Amino acid sequence: EAQVTQNPRYLITVTGKKLTVTCSQNMNHEYMSWYRQDPGLGLRQIYYSMNVEVTDKGDVPEGYKVSRKEKRNFPLILESPSPNQTSLYFCASSYSISYEQYFGPGTRLTVT
Amino acid sequence: GENVEQHPSTLSVQEGDSAVIKCTYSDSASNYFPWYKQELGKRPQLIIDIRSNVGEKKDQRIAVTLNKTAKHFSLHITETQPEDSAVYFCASEGRTGNQFYFGTGTSLTVIP
């Protein structure tokens, strides 16, 4: 089954404790992206990747890191989480920028 | 950066009536304009998209129109049904063609 998976689905952590949210797709997609969703602000792109070893900043990259060492995986790293990073995070993948993006199930992160 | 504005933020219609959601974008180089539907607690899913070489596209009760001169595009849902109740997001690619921008969403409620 073609899908995008994310883990964990829910995470409560404390300020400053490094965490990683994993994302994996099995569709051989080249374009992958991380978004955060906040009430009234829609979906905002954090980072995106055009292909392996190619990553770039989206609209709200501060406080986040990503890597793309394999085509299927695109982890999101928060080195020192802060309460303003409490949000719903979605990973997405697509054949390219101008094609349908398939979203993961989301990760709800709370930073206290 | 690219700005996608979406209106209205909330919309209530009677079952069977039509619903229209409008978006404007700022980058005249944008060529791809998808619409995503997000049901409560679920991930966004593509419902229809349009490219800049056409002015209108239909899929059963859903249609999208694009006016490149005015830089706006609209989602039209006819004969609305309760299952159409969801949040709808418009989106477009950015200036470089690699970044992606979503509108802030429209919460549609179809009243039975």
Side-chain angles (χ1 to χ4, degrees):
Chain A
E1 179 190 356
Q3 60 181 348
V4 179
T5 57
Q6 286 178 239
N7 282 292
R9 294 288 312 280
Y10 303 90
L11 180 58
I12 301 173
T13 190
V14 297
T15 299
K17 186 176 181 181
K18 181 179 178 179
L19 66 92
T20 299
V21 184
T22 64
C23 173
S24 185
Q25 51 95 4
N26 63 0
M27 294 170 279
N28 202 35
H29 285 164
E30 293 192 347
Y31 189 84
M32 296 188 75
S33 212
W34 275 103
Y35 297 94
R36 61 178 289 173
Q37 184 173 19
D38 302 288
L41 297 178
L43 292 152
R44 293 180 294 167
Q45 193 175 45
I46 303 170
Y47 267 94
Y48 62 92
S49 171
M50 300 294 291
N51 212 326
V52 176
E53 302 292 1
V54 181
T55 63
D56 212 340
K57 297 177 181 178
D59 237 15
V60 288
E62 293 76 22
Y64 304 95
K65 285 176 56 177
V66 294
S67 68
R68 187 93 181 271
K69 296 176 182 175
E70 306 163 286
K71 198 170 189 178
R72 64 183 293 125
N73 296 323
F74 191 45
L76 178 70
I77 304 155
L78 285 72
E79 296 262 356
S80 183
S82 62
N84 65 11
Q85 293 178 299
T86 292
S87 188
L88 177 60
Y89 291 86
F90 286 101
C91 178
S93 75
S94 61
Y95 174 68
S96 80
I97 180 73
S98 300
Y99 286 84
E100 176 179 5
Q101 291 192 55
Y102 293 83
F103 284 80
T107 295
R108 186 164 292 282
L109 173 65
T110 302
V111 183
T112 61
Chain B
E2 174 74 10
N3 208 19
V4 177
E5 294 189 5
Q6 181 172 349
H7 299 281
S9 57
T10 60
L11 180 61
S12 291
V13 300
Q14 291 291 140
E15 182 176 357
D17 286 350
S18 295
V20 180
I21 303 169
K22 299 181 179 181
C23 286
T24 60
Y25 61 98
S26 58
D27 186 0
S28 56
S30 298
N31 289 309
Y32 177 63
F33 308 92
W35 285 89
Y36 286 82
K37 175 183 180 182
Q38 186 179 28
E39 297 177 350
L40 190 62
K42 301 288 182 65
R43 71 193 79 186
Q45 290 188 295
L46 181 77
I47 53 171
I48 195 167
D49 56 13
I50 191 168
R51 300 181 190 277
S52 58
N53 56 343
V54 298
E56 184 175 4
K57 183 177 179 181
K58 288 183 179 179
D59 183 3
Q60 299 182 337
R61 296 186 296 108
I62 294 173
V64 56
T65 58
L66 171 64
N67 183 328
K68 284 221 73 179
T69 303
K71 291 192 284 187
H72 66 71
F73 56 113
S74 301
L75 178 71
H76 305 254
I77 306 175
T78 58
E79 301 171 25
T80 53
Q81 301 168 2
E83 51 264 39
D84 294 329
S85 295
V87 178
Y88 292 81
F89 293 98
C90 62
S92 76
E93 57 190 340
R95 182 173 297 116
T96 65
N98 296 332
Q99 204 165 335
F100 218 75
Y101 297 91
F102 281 83
T104 50
T106 297
S107 178
L108 173 65
T109 302
V110 179
I111 304 165

